[in-house]
Amino acid sequence: VKKDGSWGMFDEIQNLSELCLSWFNEYTNSIYQVLRKKNSSQAYLADGREINVNNNFNIILTTNPFIDKNEIRKSNHMIPIHLKSMFRVVAMMEPDLEIILRAKCLQCGIKASNIVASRLKVLYDLCQHSLMSIKSKFQLTLSTFLSVIQTIYG
């Protein structure tokens, strides 16, 4: 990732062990120091290795601060402050599914898109509630509903 100039994403980083977070912090800090200099492309890692870094490189971290009331995460570690300080914080909110469904219906040429979208939203909510109550290993997502619309009308 760092050599090619790609972007890497670490999902729910708070679930990593303290040892992994420490390792991640050391390597990320070394790489970001090189990126801040802008005239250097060599990073020296904590283990003594020297690596080339492409300036287009970037890392994205995600965390999930919301924990289900019935779920207890034993591996939920606090992210060190010095690691947090290297990244920009962006807050996300839950999308309005009915607007997304309405837009997809319009895209497929459905004339009564408002009605279809509101009914699909009700169906989606009912399915989500039913799946969550039986703790199924299958997860219903919005992309599933969008695929159904695309298959039927697309």
Side-chain angles (χ1 to χ4, degrees), residues 12-29:
E12 295 196 18
I13 194 165
Q14 78 276 4
N15 291 331
L16 292 177
S17 69
E18 291 180 34
L19 180 63
C20 288
L21 282 173
S22 175
W23 174 87
F24 182 81
N25 180 47
E26 288 292 325
Y27 279 70
T28 309
N29 193 24

Side-chain angles (χ1 to χ4, degrees), residues 52-108:
N52 291 325
V53 177
N54 186 320
N55 287 339
N56 294 324
F57 165 77
N58 203 352
I59 295 176
I60 300 169
L61 306 179
T62 66
T63 61
N64 186 1
F66 303 107
I67 299 174
D68 186 10
K69 293 175 186 173
N70 300 325
E71 179 183 348
I72 298 174
R73 294 187 182 184
K74 294 177 183 173
S75 63
N76 190 9
H77 297 287
M78 294 297 294
I79 299 172
I81 293 173
H82 51 278
L83 182 59
K84 284 183 188 178
S85 68
M86 286 192 279
F87 296 92
R88 222 177 267 150
V89 176
V90 178
M92 303 292 284
M93 57 185 240
E94 189 174 341
D96 188 342
L97 299 179
E98 193 167 340
I99 292 174
I100 295 169
L101 290 167
R102 188 178 320 132
K104 189 64 173 180
C105 289
L106 285 170
Q107 178 186 0
C108 292

